Amino acid sequence: MASVFLYHVVGDLTVGKPELEEFYETETIGSAIRAIRESTECGITVWKRKTHMEMAENNDTRQQRFVGILTSLDVVSFLAKPQCLEDQDKAMKTLVSDVVVPDNALLKIVDPGIRLIDALEMMKQGVRRLLVLKSTVWKGMSKRFSILYNGKWLKNVDNSSCNSLSINVSAPSSAASSASSSSSSTPPFMRNKFCCLSREDIIRFLIGCLGALAPLPLSSISSLGAINHNYSSIDASLPAAEATQKNPGDPSAFAIMESTPDGRHRILGEISVSKLWKCDYIAAAWALANLSAGQFIMGIEDNVSSRWLTDFNNNSLDNGVESTRPRKISSTSSGYNPVSPTFGVGRGTYRGRSAPLTCKTTSSLAAVMAQMLSHRATHVWVTEGEDDDDVLVGVVGYADILVAVTSKPPSLSALTPRSIIELRLENHH
């Protein structure tokens, strides 16, 4: 296993991260829309309010206050319900607690000194966010683990810190207990200051350590077993509203597919948290409720009139909430001009902003990671074939990458000739 996982800690990834501002379940959907659009992710963490503001809060009670993660797909799916489209004013004032799916296991509170490998294991088990204490007392990254090299603790680490570290090194699963001991020794003026790390933050850190991960980054996603074949999909001719009737899983995305005469499937577009992140949520909800899946993604590509894919018009916002005046939405006003309810026009029609992010089974892990980060996407669809004949075979998401980077390095036979040359040159330098 790469040493970068053993001798780095999650505190290394918190540099420059803003302090967490809790978004409460008693806020409205209108407020949630603005919060999601202004967030650095496609979703926001939702919390219960503190019952006793004057009392100090420990990690256990803070963990209990976490409700779940609200995404753009959750909001659009809710607004697409018939009762919400009929009374948009009421829908926008609905409490977040009525929409968010409770899942307390999606977030874990950890000590900044926990090893990166332990954080990766948590995320491989389904954790989406890590809440990390921001503290000026913490001495920094690998120095806390220099005992592994020097045989003794650093002089600038006190006994209480050593005890906490002993827990992390000998029993990684005791992250929660070490976090509690750390927070108890934190000065009062530094308490309750946390930042949130996502899986994207982990990937962004790892792509800066490609040399230490060699030869994994140059290996194909196929040889690493990083391709997830259990993806969610909707046929282009079916109603887009099917996206509101089932859970897409992880990643939170539906592939919109077209069947070929030989029974294979090509991907035309997607309905996902990434695509809906910056959209006009009300118009997107109308489209989701009234159009087919193929027409829905065609609206994304309409550069002239696709109003719901552009940023919010600030004039339509009122104190962070979309205009409460109910508005009639039709295919014309929502920016959709579907040419036909049937689909046999070929994938070329769907090129442009609606085109899904794809890669090949032979693509390297490093290339896929770079694609995801550059496009701020939560996943990349995997295809086989050439041009319009390519067939969807799977998807690579955050969880798949985390499993791949911690797996056993493949043999050189799993690398392409070009990758082997690049690897040897890198090792030479």
Side-chain angles (χ1 to χ4, degrees):
M1 182 175 294
S3 59
V4 65
F5 298 135
L6 299 175
Y7 307 134
H8 277 272
V9 293
V10 295
D12 301 337
L13 282 65
T14 63
V15 178
K17 292 290 292 184
E19 181 182 346
L20 172 71
E21 294 184 8
E22 294 184 353
F23 188 88
Y24 299 114
E25 62 177 355
T26 53
E27 298 287 344
T28 65
I29 288 298
S31 298
I33 290 175
R34 174 174 285 276
I36 293 174
R37 295 188 75 258
E38 293 179 349
S39 71
T40 57
E41 308 291 337
C42 304
I44 54 175
T45 56
V46 179
W47 302 80
K48 297 178 181 178
R49 290 187 179 275
K50 297 178 182 179
T51 54
H52 302 287
M53 297 297 293
E54 72 281 356
M55 296 180 61
E57 186 178 38
N58 58 36
N59 289 340
D60 291 335
T61 55
R62 184 177 290 107
Q63 180 73 57
Q64 294 172 4
R65 288 198 301 108
F66 173 69
V67 178
I69 297 178
L70 184 70
T71 69
S72 55
L73 183 56
D74 295 329
V75 174
V76 173
S77 297
F78 168 74
L79 294 177
K81 294 181 178 180
Q83 62 270 28
C84 295
L85 293 176
E86 292 175 2
D87 192 342
Q88 297 168 10
D89 185 13
K90 181 179 179 181
M92 298 298 284
K93 293 180 180 179
T94 302
L95 298 183
V96 169
S97 57
D98 296 332
V99 180
V100 64
V101 178
D103 192 344
N104 186 263
L106 294 180
L107 177 143
K108 293 297 180 184
I109 303 175
V110 299
D111 185 87
I114 188 175
R115 296 181 301 175
L116 184 57
I117 184 60
D118 301 328
L120 288 175
E121 288 300 322
M122 291 182 187
M123 288 189 161
K124 285 163 60 176
Q125 297 300 319
V127 174
R128 306 279 181 91
R129 306 288 175 87
L130 295 176
L131 196 62
V132 187
L133 179 69
K134 292 176 68 69
S135 173
T136 56
V137 177
W138 175 59
K139 296 299 180 183
M141 68 140 205
S142 324
K143 291 183 179 180
R144 299 191 72 177
F145 293 98
S146 62
I147 183 176
L148 300 176
Y149 299 103
N150 304 329
K152 61 181 180 180
W153 296 106
L154 293 178
K155 294 181 180 180
N156 62 354
V157 180
D158 57 22
N159 293 332
S160 62
S161 298
C162 292
N163 293 335
S164 175
L165 284 172
S166 298
I167 295 176
N168 283 330
V169 174
S170 61
S173 60
S174 304
S177 60
S178 64
S180 299
S181 62
S182 174
S183 61
S184 62
S185 60
T186 305
F189 64 88
M190 283 300 300
R191 290 179 182 171
N192 299 326
K193 293 185 180 295
F194 290 83
C195 67
C196 212
L197 290 180
S198 66
R199 294 180 296 181
E200 181 182 355
D201 293 320
I202 301 292
I203 303 300
R204 195 173 298 279
F205 175 80
L206 293 180
I207 205 169
C209 309
L210 294 183
L213 298 175
L216 285 172
L218 298 180
S219 305
S220 68
I221 55 176
S222 177
S223 66
L224 294 173
I227 303 176
N228 181 3
H229 301 283
N230 298 319
Y231 54 87
S232 298
S233 64
I234 301 174
D235 190 271
S237 61
L238 296 177
E242 286 204 1
T244 68
Q245 300 170 2
K246 54 184 178 179
N247 182 7
D250 185 21
S252 185
F254 294 93
I256 308 304
M257 301 197 304
E258 178 185 49
S259 299
T260 62
D262 57 359
R264 299 185 299 173
H265 300 284
R266 291 199 299 261
I267 181 170
L268 304 178
E270 66 177 51
I271 298 176
S272 66
V273 293
S274 302
K275 289 291 186 180
L276 297 174
W277 185 9
K278 303 291 186 179
C279 73
D280 181 332
Y281 284 54
I282 290 182
W286 180 92
L288 197 65
N290 293 277
L291 302 180
S292 69
Q295 291 169 333
F296 186 90
I297 61 173
M298 287 171 66
I300 293 178
E301 193 171 7
D302 187 347
N303 293 319
V304 177
S305 59
S306 59
R307 177 172 54 82
W308 69 268
L309 236 221
T310 60
D311 288 344
F312 268 132
N313 185 337
N314 291 330
N315 294 330
S316 68
L317 296 174
D318 182 14
N319 297 325
V321 181
E322 275 200 289
S323 176
T324 57
R325 177 184 297 177
R327 49 186 169 131
K328 295 287 185 178
I329 298 182
S330 63
S331 59
T332 302
S333 66
S334 66
Y336 282 87
N337 186 23
V339 295
S340 172
T342 60
F343 299 88
V345 292
R347 185 178 172 185
T349 303
Y350 300 91
R351 299 296 183 183
R353 289 189 297 174
S354 68
L357 192 63
T358 62
C359 67
K360 299 296 183 180
T361 56
T362 55
S363 298
S364 68
L365 182 65
V368 174
M369 293 168 63
Q371 272 186 290
M372 293 174 65
L373 293 177
S374 61
H375 290 271
R376 300 303 308 277
T378 61
H379 57 280
V380 178
W381 301 102
V382 185
T383 62
E384 285 183 333
E386 297 295 336
D387 300 328
D388 289 343
D389 294 327
D390 53 353
V391 178
L392 181 65
V393 296
V395 66
V396 177
Y398 288 138
D400 306 304
I401 291 180
L402 296 181
V403 171
V405 296
T406 54
S407 63
K408 182 179 179 180
S411 61
L412 289 180
S413 61
L415 303 178
T416 63
R418 181 176 179 179
S419 297
I420 295 176
I421 295 175
E422 293 174 347
L423 176 61
R424 288 175 176 171
L425 290 175
E426 183 177 352
N427 291 336
H428 176 73
H429 293 297

PDB file of all heavy atoms in Angstrom, residues 204-236:
ATOM      1  N   ARG A 204      -9.054  14.983  -5.163  1.00  0.00           N
ATOM      2  CA  ARG A 204      -8.221  16.126  -5.540  1.00  0.00           C
ATOM      3  C   ARG A 204      -6.853  16.044  -4.866  1.00  0.00           C
ATOM      4  O   ARG A 204      -5.831  16.416  -5.454  1.00  0.00           O
ATOM      5  CB  ARG A 204      -8.922  17.436  -5.158  1.00  0.00           C
ATOM      6  CG  ARG A 204      -8.322  18.668  -5.812  1.00  0.00           C
ATOM      7  CD  ARG A 204      -9.170  19.891  -5.512  1.00  0.00           C
ATOM      8  NE  ARG A 204     -10.514  19.759  -6.038  1.00  0.00           N
ATOM      9  CZ  ARG A 204     -10.847  19.985  -7.296  1.00  0.00           C
ATOM     10  NH1 ARG A 204      -9.919  20.372  -8.165  1.00  0.00           N
ATOM     11  NH2 ARG A 204     -12.093  19.858  -7.708  1.00  0.00           N
ATOM     12  N   PHE A 205      -6.813  15.563  -3.637  1.00  0.00           N
ATOM     13  CA  PHE A 205      -5.545  15.386  -2.941  1.00  0.00           C
ATOM     14  C   PHE A 205      -4.729  14.261  -3.583  1.00  0.00           C
ATOM     15  O   PHE A 205      -3.522  14.395  -3.797  1.00  0.00           O
ATOM     16  CB  PHE A 205      -5.802  15.071  -1.461  1.00  0.00           C
ATOM     17  CG  PHE A 205      -4.563  14.746  -0.678  1.00  0.00           C
ATOM     18  CD1 PHE A 205      -3.735  15.750  -0.207  1.00  0.00           C
ATOM     19  CD2 PHE A 205      -4.210  13.429  -0.416  1.00  0.00           C
ATOM     20  CE1 PHE A 205      -2.590  15.451   0.515  1.00  0.00           C
ATOM     21  CE2 PHE A 205      -3.074  13.115   0.296  1.00  0.00           C
ATOM     22  CZ  PHE A 205      -2.254  14.133   0.768  1.00  0.00           C
ATOM     23  N   LEU A 206      -5.397  13.170  -3.911  1.00  0.00           N
ATOM     24  CA  LEU A 206      -4.695  12.012  -4.464  1.00  0.00           C
ATOM     25  C   LEU A 206      -4.105  12.287  -5.845  1.00  0.00           C
ATOM     26  O   LEU A 206      -3.052  11.756  -6.190  1.00  0.00           O
ATOM     27  CB  LEU A 206      -5.642  10.807  -4.536  1.00  0.00           C
ATOM     28  CG  LEU A 206      -6.115  10.235  -3.197  1.00  0.00           C
ATOM     29  CD1 LEU A 206      -7.050   9.057  -3.429  1.00  0.00           C
ATOM     30  CD2 LEU A 206      -4.926   9.801  -2.343  1.00  0.00           C
ATOM     31  N   ILE A 207      -4.770  13.130  -6.632  1.00  0.00           N
ATOM     32  CA  ILE A 207      -4.262  13.388  -7.974  1.00  0.00           C
ATOM     33  C   ILE A 207      -2.977  14.207  -7.916  1.00  0.00           C
ATOM     34  O   ILE A 207      -2.228  14.277  -8.898  1.00  0.00           O
ATOM     35  CB  ILE A 207      -5.330  14.093  -8.842  1.00  0.00           C
ATOM     36  CG1 ILE A 207      -5.064  13.792 -10.321  1.00  0.00           C
ATOM     37  CG2 ILE A 207      -5.338  15.603  -8.600  1.00  0.00           C
ATOM     38  CD1 ILE A 207      -6.177  14.209 -11.247  1.00  0.00           C
ATOM     39  N   GLY A 208      -2.727  14.804  -6.757  1.00  0.00           N
ATOM     40  CA  GLY A 208      -1.458  15.496  -6.565  1.00  0.00           C
ATOM     41  C   GLY A 208      -0.367  14.578  -6.057  1.00  0.00           C
ATOM     42  O   GLY A 208       0.766  15.018  -5.855  1.00  0.00           O
ATOM     43  N   CYS A 209      -0.715  13.312  -5.837  1.00  0.00           N
ATOM     44  CA  CYS A 209       0.257  12.333  -5.328  1.00  0.00           C
ATOM     45  C   CYS A 209       0.384  11.151  -6.274  1.00  0.00           C
ATOM     46  O   CYS A 209       0.605  10.019  -5.836  1.00  0.00           O
ATOM     47  CB  CYS A 209      -0.167  11.841  -3.939  1.00  0.00           C
ATOM     48  SG  CYS A 209      -0.531  13.114  -2.739  1.00  0.00           S
ATOM     49  N   LEU A 210       0.221  11.387  -7.568  1.00  0.00           N
ATOM     50  CA  LEU A 210       0.211  10.289  -8.526  1.00  0.00           C
ATOM     51  C   LEU A 210       1.517   9.503  -8.526  1.00  0.00           C
ATOM     52  O   LEU A 210       1.527   8.283  -8.708  1.00  0.00           O
ATOM     53  CB  LEU A 210      -0.079  10.819  -9.932  1.00  0.00           C
ATOM     54  CG  LEU A 210      -1.472  11.418 -10.155  1.00  0.00           C
ATOM     55  CD1 LEU A 210      -1.636  11.843 -11.603  1.00  0.00           C
ATOM     56  CD2 LEU A 210      -2.558  10.421  -9.765  1.00  0.00           C
ATOM     57  N   GLY A 211       2.637  10.209  -8.336  1.00  0.00           N
ATOM     58  CA  GLY A 211       3.919   9.521  -8.327  1.00  0.00           C
ATOM     59  C   GLY A 211       4.018   8.510  -7.207  1.00  0.00           C
ATOM     60  O   GLY A 211       4.555   7.407  -7.384  1.00  0.00           O
ATOM     61  N   ALA A 212       3.484   8.869  -6.036  1.00  0.00           N
ATOM     62  CA  ALA A 212       3.544   7.967  -4.884  1.00  0.00           C
ATOM     63  C   ALA A 212       2.605   6.781  -5.045  1.00  0.00           C
ATOM     64  O   ALA A 212       2.767   5.772  -4.361  1.00  0.00           O
ATOM     65  CB  ALA A 212       3.197   8.742  -3.610  1.00  0.00           C
ATOM     66  N   LEU A 213       1.627   6.905  -5.936  1.00  0.00           N
ATOM     67  CA  LEU A 213       0.651   5.834  -6.134  1.00  0.00           C
ATOM     68  C   LEU A 213       1.023   4.898  -7.281  1.00  0.00           C
ATOM     69  O   LEU A 213       0.318   3.922  -7.536  1.00  0.00           O
ATOM     70  CB  LEU A 213      -0.733   6.428  -6.412  1.00  0.00           C
ATOM     71  CG  LEU A 213      -1.346   7.290  -5.313  1.00  0.00           C
ATOM     72  CD1 LEU A 213      -2.662   7.890  -5.792  1.00  0.00           C
ATOM     73  CD2 LEU A 213      -1.564   6.481  -4.052  1.00  0.00           C
ATOM     74  N   ALA A 214       2.114   5.199  -8.003  1.00  0.00           N
ATOM     75  CA  ALA A 214       2.502   4.392  -9.161  1.00  0.00           C
ATOM     76  C   ALA A 214       2.672   2.923  -8.767  1.00  0.00           C
ATOM     77  O   ALA A 214       3.132   2.613  -7.665  1.00  0.00           O
ATOM     78  CB  ALA A 214       3.806   4.943  -9.749  1.00  0.00           C
ATOM     79  N   PRO A 215       2.257   1.986  -9.650  1.00  0.00           N
ATOM     80  CA  PRO A 215       1.779   2.192 -11.036  1.00  0.00           C
ATOM     81  C   PRO A 215       0.263   2.292 -11.171  1.00  0.00           C
ATOM     82  O   PRO A 215      -0.247   2.230 -12.280  1.00  0.00           O
ATOM     83  CB  PRO A 215       2.286   0.936 -11.733  1.00  0.00           C
ATOM     84  CG  PRO A 215       2.144  -0.128 -10.693  1.00  0.00           C
ATOM     85  CD  PRO A 215       2.480   0.542  -9.386  1.00  0.00           C
ATOM     86  N   LEU A 216      -0.461   2.422 -10.062  1.00  0.00           N
ATOM     87  CA  LEU A 216      -1.925   2.445 -10.128  1.00  0.00           C
ATOM     88  C   LEU A 216      -2.496   3.513 -11.064  1.00  0.00           C
ATOM     89  O   LEU A 216      -3.392   3.222 -11.855  1.00  0.00           O
ATOM     90  CB  LEU A 216      -2.498   2.620  -8.718  1.00  0.00           C
ATOM     91  CG  LEU A 216      -2.455   1.399  -7.796  1.00  0.00           C
ATOM     92  CD1 LEU A 216      -2.879   1.790  -6.394  1.00  0.00           C
ATOM     93  CD2 LEU A 216      -3.345   0.295  -8.332  1.00  0.00           C
ATOM     94  N   PRO A 217      -2.015   4.765 -11.008  1.00  0.00           N
ATOM     95  CA  PRO A 217      -2.639   5.794 -11.850  1.00  0.00           C
ATOM     96  C   PRO A 217      -2.561   5.508 -13.343  1.00  0.00           C
ATOM     97  O   PRO A 217      -3.421   5.945 -14.099  1.00  0.00           O
ATOM     98  CB  PRO A 217      -1.854   7.060 -11.483  1.00  0.00           C
ATOM     99  CG  PRO A 217      -1.300   6.790 -10.131  1.00  0.00           C
ATOM    100  CD  PRO A 217      -0.982   5.334 -10.121  1.00  0.00           C
ATOM    101  N   LEU A 218      -1.522   4.791 -13.779  1.00  0.00           N
ATOM    102  CA  LEU A 218      -1.352   4.514 -15.203  1.00  0.00           C
ATOM    103  C   LEU A 218      -2.049   3.234 -15.636  1.00  0.00           C
ATOM    104  O   LEU A 218      -2.071   2.903 -16.817  1.00  0.00           O
ATOM    105  CB  LEU A 218       0.134   4.430 -15.547  1.00  0.00           C
ATOM    106  CG  LEU A 218       0.939   5.717 -15.308  1.00  0.00           C
ATOM    107  CD1 LEU A 218       2.395   5.495 -15.684  1.00  0.00           C
ATOM    108  CD2 LEU A 218       0.350   6.876 -16.093  1.00  0.00           C
ATOM    109  N   SER A 219      -2.608   2.506 -14.702  1.00  0.00           N
ATOM    110  CA  SER A 219      -3.312   1.272 -15.020  1.00  0.00           C
ATOM    111  C   SER A 219      -4.710   1.586 -15.538  1.00  0.00           C
ATOM    112  O   SER A 219      -5.310   2.598 -15.182  1.00  0.00           O
ATOM    113  CB  SER A 219      -3.418   0.377 -13.784  1.00  0.00           C
ATOM    114  OG  SER A 219      -2.142   0.124 -13.226  1.00  0.00           O
ATOM    115  N   SER A 220      -5.229   0.731 -16.382  1.00  0.00           N
ATOM    116  CA  SER A 220      -6.565   0.944 -16.927  1.00  0.00           C
ATOM    117  C   SER A 220      -7.608   0.671 -15.847  1.00  0.00           C
ATOM    118  O   SER A 220      -7.397  -0.143 -14.949  1.00  0.00           O
ATOM    119  CB  SER A 220      -6.806   0.024 -18.130  1.00  0.00           C
ATOM    120  OG  SER A 220      -6.873  -1.331 -17.713  1.00  0.00           O
ATOM    121  N   ILE A 221      -8.731   1.353 -15.955  1.00  0.00           N
ATOM    122  CA  ILE A 221      -9.804   1.155 -14.984  1.00  0.00           C
ATOM    123  C   ILE A 221     -10.352  -0.260 -15.062  1.00  0.00           C
ATOM    124  O   ILE A 221     -10.862  -0.795 -14.071  1.00  0.00           O
ATOM    125  CB  ILE A 221     -10.933   2.182 -15.191  1.00  0.00           C
ATOM    126  CG1 ILE A 221     -11.451   2.150 -16.641  1.00  0.00           C
ATOM    127  CG2 ILE A 221     -10.461   3.575 -14.809  1.00  0.00           C
ATOM    128  CD1 ILE A 221     -12.621   3.073 -16.892  1.00  0.00           C
ATOM    129  N   SER A 222     -10.224  -0.879 -16.221  1.00  0.00           N
ATOM    130  CA  SER A 222     -10.684  -2.255 -16.367  1.00  0.00           C
ATOM    131  C   SER A 222      -9.801  -3.213 -15.579  1.00  0.00           C
ATOM    132  O   SER A 222     -10.295  -4.097 -14.872  1.00  0.00           O
ATOM    133  CB  SER A 222     -10.697  -2.643 -17.853  1.00  0.00           C
ATOM    134  OG  SER A 222     -11.078  -3.992 -18.019  1.00  0.00           O
ATOM    135  N   SER A 223      -8.479  -3.040 -15.670  1.00  0.00           N
ATOM    136  CA  SER A 223      -7.564  -3.930 -14.957  1.00  0.00           C
ATOM    137  C   SER A 223      -7.655  -3.747 -13.448  1.00  0.00           C
ATOM    138  O   SER A 223      -7.372  -4.675 -12.692  1.00  0.00           O
ATOM    139  CB  SER A 223      -6.128  -3.679 -15.419  1.00  0.00           C
ATOM    140  OG  SER A 223      -5.693  -2.373 -15.048  1.00  0.00           O
ATOM    141  N   LEU A 224      -8.068  -2.567 -13.013  1.00  0.00           N
ATOM    142  CA  LEU A 224      -8.196  -2.291 -11.582  1.00  0.00           C
ATOM    143  C   LEU A 224      -9.554  -2.716 -11.024  1.00  0.00           C
ATOM    144  O   LEU A 224      -9.774  -2.637  -9.815  1.00  0.00           O
ATOM    145  CB  LEU A 224      -7.973  -0.799 -11.310  1.00  0.00           C
ATOM    146  CG  LEU A 224      -6.579  -0.256 -11.589  1.00  0.00           C
ATOM    147  CD1 LEU A 224      -6.550   1.261 -11.430  1.00  0.00           C
ATOM    148  CD2 LEU A 224      -5.554  -0.906 -10.669  1.00  0.00           C
ATOM    149  N   GLY A 225     -10.464  -3.117 -11.901  1.00  0.00           N
ATOM    150  CA  GLY A 225     -11.804  -3.479 -11.440  1.00  0.00           C
ATOM    151  C   GLY A 225     -12.593  -2.287 -10.937  1.00  0.00           C
ATOM    152  O   GLY A 225     -13.445  -2.426 -10.056  1.00  0.00           O
ATOM    153  N   ALA A 226     -12.306  -1.114 -11.507  1.00  0.00           N
ATOM    154  CA  ALA A 226     -12.948   0.121 -11.042  1.00  0.00           C
ATOM    155  C   ALA A 226     -14.271   0.411 -11.733  1.00  0.00           C
ATOM    156  O   ALA A 226     -14.940   1.398 -11.400  1.00  0.00           O
ATOM    157  CB  ALA A 226     -12.005   1.304 -11.233  1.00  0.00           C
ATOM    158  N   ILE A 227     -14.661  -0.413 -12.698  1.00  0.00           N
ATOM    159  CA  ILE A 227     -15.895  -0.162 -13.443  1.00  0.00           C
ATOM    160  C   ILE A 227     -17.079  -0.777 -12.709  1.00  0.00           C
ATOM    161  O   ILE A 227     -17.109  -1.981 -12.444  1.00  0.00           O
ATOM    162  CB  ILE A 227     -15.811  -0.748 -14.859  1.00  0.00           C
ATOM    163  CG1 ILE A 227     -14.598  -0.174 -15.599  1.00  0.00           C
ATOM    164  CG2 ILE A 227     -17.094  -0.460 -15.634  1.00  0.00           C
ATOM    165  CD1 ILE A 227     -14.381  -0.777 -16.972  1.00  0.00           C
ATOM    166  N   ASN A 228     -18.056   0.059 -12.374  1.00  0.00           N
ATOM    167  CA  ASN A 228     -19.263  -0.392 -11.699  1.00  0.00           C
ATOM    168  C   ASN A 228     -20.330  -0.702 -12.755  1.00  0.00           C
ATOM    169  O   ASN A 228     -20.779   0.183 -13.479  1.00  0.00           O
ATOM    170  CB  ASN A 228     -19.766   0.685 -10.738  1.00  0.00           C
ATOM    171  CG  ASN A 228     -21.011   0.279  -9.985  1.00  0.00           C
ATOM    172  OD1 ASN A 228     -21.494  -0.847 -10.119  1.00  0.00           O
ATOM    173  ND2 ASN A 228     -21.537   1.185  -9.196  1.00  0.00           N
ATOM    174  N   HIS A 229     -20.715  -1.962 -12.844  1.00  0.00           N
ATOM    175  CA  HIS A 229     -21.688  -2.382 -13.850  1.00  0.00           C
ATOM    176  C   HIS A 229     -23.131  -2.276 -13.348  1.00  0.00           C
ATOM    177  O   HIS A 229     -24.063  -2.500 -14.125  1.00  0.00           O
ATOM    178  CB  HIS A 229     -21.397  -3.815 -14.290  1.00  0.00           C
ATOM    179  CG  HIS A 229     -20.019  -3.999 -14.875  1.00  0.00           C
ATOM    180  ND1 HIS A 229     -19.690  -3.606 -16.146  1.00  0.00           N
ATOM    181  CD2 HIS A 229     -18.880  -4.510 -14.325  1.00  0.00           C
ATOM    182  CE1 HIS A 229     -18.411  -3.882 -16.379  1.00  0.00           C
ATOM    183  NE2 HIS A 229     -17.899  -4.434 -15.289  1.00  0.00           N
ATOM    184  N   ASN A 230     -23.311  -1.933 -12.089  1.00  0.00           N
ATOM    185  CA  ASN A 230     -24.661  -1.821 -11.519  1.00  0.00           C
ATOM    186  C   ASN A 230     -25.100  -0.365 -11.493  1.00  0.00           C
ATOM    187  O   ASN A 230     -25.230   0.253 -10.435  1.00  0.00           O
ATOM    188  CB  ASN A 230     -24.683  -2.422 -10.106  1.00  0.00           C
ATOM    189  CG  ASN A 230     -24.356  -3.895 -10.094  1.00  0.00           C
ATOM    190  OD1 ASN A 230     -24.806  -4.637 -10.960  1.00  0.00           O
ATOM    191  ND2 ASN A 230     -23.566  -4.327  -9.111  1.00  0.00           N
ATOM    192  N   TYR A 231     -25.298   0.195 -12.658  1.00  0.00           N
ATOM    193  CA  TYR A 231     -25.706   1.593 -12.756  1.00  0.00           C
ATOM    194  C   TYR A 231     -27.211   1.683 -12.992  1.00  0.00           C
ATOM    195  O   TYR A 231     -27.864   0.716 -13.378  1.00  0.00           O
ATOM    196  CB  TYR A 231     -24.963   2.278 -13.900  1.00  0.00           C
ATOM    197  CG  TYR A 231     -25.097   1.586 -15.226  1.00  0.00           C
ATOM    198  CD1 TYR A 231     -26.172   1.861 -16.076  1.00  0.00           C
ATOM    199  CD2 TYR A 231     -24.154   0.647 -15.635  1.00  0.00           C
ATOM    200  CE1 TYR A 231     -26.309   1.218 -17.284  1.00  0.00           C
ATOM    201  CE2 TYR A 231     -24.287  -0.003 -16.859  1.00  0.00           C
ATOM    202  CZ  TYR A 231     -25.361   0.284 -17.678  1.00  0.00           C
ATOM    203  OH  TYR A 231     -25.493  -0.359 -18.882  1.00  0.00           O
ATOM    204  N   SER A 232     -27.763   2.870 -12.772  1.00  0.00           N
ATOM    205  CA  SER A 232     -29.190   3.110 -12.993  1.00  0.00           C
ATOM    206  C   SER A 232     -29.387   3.737 -14.365  1.00  0.00           C
ATOM    207  O   SER A 232     -28.592   4.572 -14.795  1.00  0.00           O
ATOM    208  CB  SER A 232     -29.756   4.040 -11.916  1.00  0.00           C
ATOM    209  OG  SER A 232     -29.631   3.448 -10.640  1.00  0.00           O
ATOM    210  N   SER A 233     -30.452   3.347 -15.050  1.00  0.00           N
ATOM    211  CA  SER A 233     -30.684   3.859 -16.396  1.00  0.00           C
ATOM    212  C   SER A 233     -32.172   3.995 -16.677  1.00  0.00           C
ATOM    213  O   SER A 233     -33.012   3.368 -16.022  1.00  0.00           O
ATOM    214  CB  SER A 233     -30.042   2.925 -17.440  1.00  0.00           C
ATOM    215  OG  SER A 233     -30.659   1.649 -17.403  1.00  0.00           O
ATOM    216  N   ILE A 234     -32.488   4.836 -17.660  1.00  0.00           N
ATOM    217  CA  ILE A 234     -33.857   5.045 -18.127  1.00  0.00           C
ATOM    218  C   ILE A 234     -33.826   5.089 -19.647  1.00  0.00           C
ATOM    219  O   ILE A 234     -32.966   5.762 -20.238  1.00  0.00           O
ATOM    220  CB  ILE A 234     -34.447   6.365 -17.585  1.00  0.00           C
ATOM    221  CG1 ILE A 234     -34.456   6.377 -16.059  1.00  0.00           C
ATOM    222  CG2 ILE A 234     -35.859   6.588 -18.118  1.00  0.00           C
ATOM    223  CD1 ILE A 234     -34.895   7.702 -15.465  1.00  0.00           C
ATOM    224  N   ASP A 235     -34.735   4.384 -20.288  1.00  0.00           N
ATOM    225  CA  ASP A 235     -34.805   4.431 -21.739  1.00  0.00           C
ATOM    226  C   ASP A 235     -35.278   5.812 -22.177  1.00  0.00           C
ATOM    227  O   ASP A 235     -36.144   6.421 -21.542  1.00  0.00           O
ATOM    228  CB  ASP A 235     -35.759   3.357 -22.276  1.00  0.00           C
ATOM    229  CG  ASP A 235     -35.679   3.220 -23.781  1.00  0.00           C
ATOM    230  OD1 ASP A 235     -36.433   3.934 -24.482  1.00  0.00           O
ATOM    231  OD2 ASP A 235     -34.875   2.405 -24.256  1.00  0.00           O
ATOM    232  N   ALA A 236     -34.714   6.307 -23.265  1.00  0.00           N
ATOM    233  CA  ALA A 236     -35.009   7.663 -23.720  1.00  0.00           C
ATOM    234  C   ALA A 236     -36.482   7.876 -24.042  1.00  0.00           C
ATOM    235  O   ALA A 236     -36.995   8.999 -23.945  1.00  0.00           O
ATOM    236  CB  ALA A 236     -34.159   7.993 -24.945  1.00  0.00           C
TER     237      ALA A 236
END
